[in-house]
Structure formats: structure tokens, C-alpha cells
């Protein structure tokens, strides 16, 4: 019997697991659950007997791929697949997919939650500022960026987007101002919200020169990946500009230094929270389960990212 593993260090909401179970068992497959594991070896062991695996930010290393003797497909229930070793998967003929768009609204809402929290001085009782009328730059206009833009319009922000992979027309059609260069985006916007993936081109790409273009009272919002930030640059900009603020969904490696030196000017979630809603878990989990069933039964490779 085809076995499908859910391997989540950060578990889905129970309701999402129940929905996934229904889809998997209705297809005649068996569901295996590995949640809140602490050792990589637990994932290696669990994957050794299954045909398919659903993961979140869980690390799928070459060891995991080689431990999966029968493994045919890995579905990352979410957008970013920088946690999956695509080369190792491709070499072994394992299909890797993501579920684009399924958790995007949850991430966008968190971006706003953090922006309001920072604008209101971390709710410490002192006078803060409003988002209405402020400039917001969306760095990469993908699924999350689009939701952020929609919400920003509701807040009355002046919204700009930069994305070299998206046509100017589609940005303008959404009523968002199009910006031609990344430098122009940072120069124009008091708030910049990052929605770029973490890859060889983007890692450490958010550097001092870029951040220093931002106007006075700048806030950088990161619901993307900590790896896209050059942390030395982040420290430098905080040291040189007392107006600069940073909110991030997941702590940077330099968190201890921030706590020591820059209190009140940053907020970091203790664990990646962007997609942690029942709705996002259900949407991404159901999509992942359906994609596995369609792949095993019909060979459907829509959403494959290692083609
Ligand atoms: C994603 O890439 O989909 C988001 O960062 C969510 O990641 P998570 O499933 O680990 O919360």
C-alpha cells in the first residue's frame, strides 16, 4: 500500500491533519504522522518506508532523500522550498513540489500585524505613528506580495512594487505603482516588505547600501527568509541610523546583539509564524495531499519545482 508521511517539526493544526487524512485514506493510501521531532535521524527513519512525504520548513537533506528507499515525491506544503535539496532529489528521481499561494494571505496578515505593532511602539503605551499615507514598497510581487498590496490599500498606504519577473501591466492593473529598479523602491519607501525567495542570487542581497537608501523613519518588514538579509549590514544600519526599525518573522542569527543594543526598534517572532493559521494549514495541507494523490495515480507533475 502507498504510504504518505506528514513530517512536520512545526505541526499543522489538527483540523488540517484530519483533512489530509481523509484525502489520503479515500485514495486508498496509508497516512503516517511524524510531528515535533527533534532529531534529523527521526525523519530519516520515518521516510525510509514511505512513498511520499508532506513537509513544511523541515530540512530535506541528501541523507533524507537517500533514506527514502521508496520515496517518489516530496511536497513542501507552502511556498519556499529552500529547505529541500533539489539536486539530491533530482539525482534520485524524486519529484519535489510546493503549494504556491495556499498560505499567502496568512503571511501577508502577519506582515501587517508586525507593522502595526512596530508603528505603535510595540504597544508600550507611548505615542506611535499610523500607516495611513505612508509609502510601502513591496519587494517581489508574488502571491504574498499581492495580498500585502491589497491590505495596504485598505490601510490607505501609498503602495509601490518592484519585481523584475512580473510585467509592469499586471502591477499597474492591480492599482499599485510600478518601480523599475530595486534602488528606487528602497529610496521611495518608508516601509519595505520583503517577499523574495532565498536562493543563490538573493542570499545576503539586502545590504547596507540598499537599506541606507530608505527615508528617515524606515521600517524593514521580513516575512521572507532570514538568509536574504546581510546581517552585518543590518547591524551597521542600526548602529548608524537610530530611526531604522526591523520586524521579522523569525529571529536573525544576531538576535542577542539586537536585544542588547537596539531594544524597542525591532520585533522578531520566536518561531516562523507567517503560515501558522488553521486556514493556511488546511489550504496548504489539502493542496499537498491532493497533489500527491494526483501524482501517484495519474503522474500529474503540476507544481513540480525540480523539472
Ligand atoms: C512558506 O515558505 O510557505 C512559508 O515561509 C511558511 O513556512 P512554514 O510552513 O514553515 O510555516
Amino acid at each position: 500500500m502507498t504510504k504518505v508521511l506528514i513530517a512536520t517539526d512545526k505541526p499543522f493544526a489538527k483540523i488540517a491533519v484530519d483533512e489530509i487524512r481523509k484525502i489520503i485514506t479515500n485514495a486508498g493510501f496509508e497516512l503516517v504522522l511524524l510531528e515535533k521531532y527533534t532529531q534529523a535521524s527521526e525523519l530519516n527513519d520515518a521516510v525510509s518506508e514511505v512513498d511520499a512525504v508532506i513537509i513544511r520548513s523541515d530540512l530535506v537533506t541528501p541523507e533524507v532523500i537517500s533514506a527514502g528507499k521508496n520515496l517518489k515525491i516530496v511536497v513542501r506544503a507552502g511556498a519556499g522550498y529552500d529547505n529541500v535539496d533539489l539536486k539530491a532529489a533530482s539525482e534520485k528521481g524524486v519529484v519535489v513540489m510546493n503549494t504556491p499561494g495556499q498560505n499567502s494571505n496568512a503571511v501577508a496578515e502577519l506582515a501587517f500585524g508586525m507593522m502595526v505593532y512596530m508603528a505603535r511602539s510595540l504597544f508600550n503605551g507611548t505615542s506611535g505613528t499610523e500607516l495611513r499615507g505612508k509609502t510601502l514598497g513591496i519587494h517581489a510581487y508574488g502571491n504574498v506580495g499581492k495580498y500585502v498590496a491589497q491590505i495596504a490599500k485598505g490601510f490607505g498606504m501609498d503602495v509601490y512594487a518592484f519585481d523584475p519577473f512580473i510585467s509592469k501591466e499586471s502591477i499597474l492593473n492591480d492599482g499599485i505603482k510600478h518601480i523599475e529598479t530595486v534602488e528606487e523602491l528602497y529610496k521611495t519607501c518608508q516601509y519595505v516588505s520583503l517577499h523574495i525567495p532565498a536562493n543563490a542570487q538573493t542570499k545576503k542581497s539586502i545590504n547596507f547600501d540598499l537599506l541606507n537608501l530608505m527615508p528617515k523613519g524606515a521600517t524593514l518588514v521580513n516575512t521572507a527568509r532570514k538568509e536574504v538579509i546581510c546581517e552585518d549590514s543590518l547591524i551597521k544600519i542600526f548602529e548608524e541610523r537610530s530611526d531604522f526599525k526591523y520586524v521579522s518573522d523569525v529571529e536573525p542569527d544576531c538576535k542577542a546583539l539586537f536585544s542588547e543594543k537596539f531594544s524597542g526598534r525591532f520585533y522578531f517572532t520566536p518561531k516562523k509564524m507567517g503560515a501558522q493559521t488553521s486556514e493556511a494549514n488546511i489550504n496548504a495541507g489539502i493542496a499537498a495531499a491532493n497533489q500527491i494523490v494526483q501524482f501517484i495515480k495519474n503522474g500529474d507533475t503540476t507544481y513540480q519545482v525540480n523539472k
Side-chain angles (χ1 to χ4, degrees):
M1 186 193 273
T2 299
K3 287 188 181 173
V4 180
L5 170 71
I6 299 179
T8 46
D9 152 47
K10 187 176 59 186
F12 288 122
K14 185 183 173 301
I15 184 170
V17 176
D18 293 343
E19 292 298 322
I20 296 170
R21 189 184 304 281
K22 267 188 229 158
I23 293 167
I24 298 302
T25 50
N26 285 346
F29 302 165
E30 183 186 331
L31 188 73
V32 184
L33 198 54
L34 173 71
E35 292 182 328
K36 293 188 193 170
Y37 57 93
T38 51
Q39 307 295 324
S41 59
E42 292 175 70
L43 178 55
N44 294 348
D45 290 346
V47 92
S48 69
E49 300 298 330
V50 304
D51 301 272
V53 59
I54 298 172
I55 49 145
R56 295 185 62 181
S57 290
D58 306 79
L59 287 184
V60 176
T61 59
E63 290 71 43
V64 174
I65 296 288
S66 84
K69 297 187 297 287
N70 305 326
L71 193 62
K72 296 164 191 67
I73 177 167
V74 173
V75 181
R76 193 282 189 239
Y81 45 87
D82 46 302
N83 49 321
V84 181
D85 194 310
L86 294 188
K87 188 166 169 280
S90 300
E91 276 168 10
K92 212 170 155 243
V94 173
V95 167
V96 180
M97 294 184 186
N98 65 350
T99 65
Q102 301 293 343
N103 59 18
S104 307
N105 181 64
V107 178
E109 287 190 12
L110 185 80
F112 269 85
M114 294 196 299
M115 282 163 68
V116 171
Y117 187 48
M118 182 49 74
R120 292 305 184 92
S121 314
L122 309 177
F123 300 158
N124 69 3
T126 65
S127 192
T129 55
E130 299 179 21
L131 298 181
R132 177 168 293 275
K134 303 294 186 302
T135 45
L136 169 69
I138 298 175
H139 188 164
Y141 196 67
N143 291 311
V144 182
K146 282 183 189 155
Y147 277 114
V148 168
Q150 277 176 30
I151 299 170
K153 286 206 277 181
F155 269 84
M157 297 187 86
D158 188 13
V159 192
Y160 297 78
F162 165 75
D163 193 326
F165 303 105
I166 303 270
S167 76
K168 180 175 179 174
E169 289 66 40
S170 68
I171 292 176
L172 293 176
N173 282 343
D174 288 350
I176 306 303
K177 291 176 183 136
H178 177 263
I179 289 222
E180 294 285 346
T181 67
V182 70
E183 289 79 13
E184 201 54 36
L185 187 83
Y186 283 70
K187 209 185 277 178
T188 309
C189 297
Q190 291 151 297
Y191 287 84
V192 169
S193 191
L194 295 171
H195 302 293
I196 50 178
N199 57 37
Q201 286 74 45
T202 62
K203 281 185 185 165
K204 293 187 193 272
S205 65
I206 308 304
N207 57 30
F208 181 83
D209 290 345
L210 209 47
L211 295 175
N212 203 29
L213 293 172
M214 291 180 75
K216 197 166 165 26
T219 299
L220 180 69
V221 183
N222 184 5
T223 53
R225 291 288 184 272
K226 69 174 180 178
E227 290 82 1
V228 302
I229 306 283
C230 169
E231 293 199 8
D232 290 342
S233 294
L234 189 67
I235 295 166
K236 188 166 176 223
I237 197 100
F238 265 70
E239 276 167 348
E240 293 192 8
R241 283 183 50 177
S242 60
D243 65 299
F244 207 99
K245 300 193 178 82
Y246 181 47
V247 288
S248 175
D249 183 19
V250 83
E251 300 168 341
D253 295 336
C254 58
K255 189 212 163 195
L257 184 134
F258 263 63
S259 303
E260 190 190 313
K261 295 177 77 170
F262 308 126
S263 162
R265 294 168 53 201
F266 68 90
Y267 172 72
F268 308 138
T269 55
K271 204 161 190 164
K272 191 138 69 80
M273 291 294 299
Q276 257 328 39
T277 65
S278 299
E279 293 89 337
N281 289 176
I282 291 168
N283 293 343
I286 287 179
N290 282 329
Q291 286 171 215
I292 286 172
V293 173
Q294 287 309 316
F295 172 74
I296 303 269
K297 291 202 184 251
N298 305 321
D300 184 345
T301 55
T302 312
Y303 303 116
Q304 182 174 357
V305 294
N306 64 336
K307 272 186 182 155

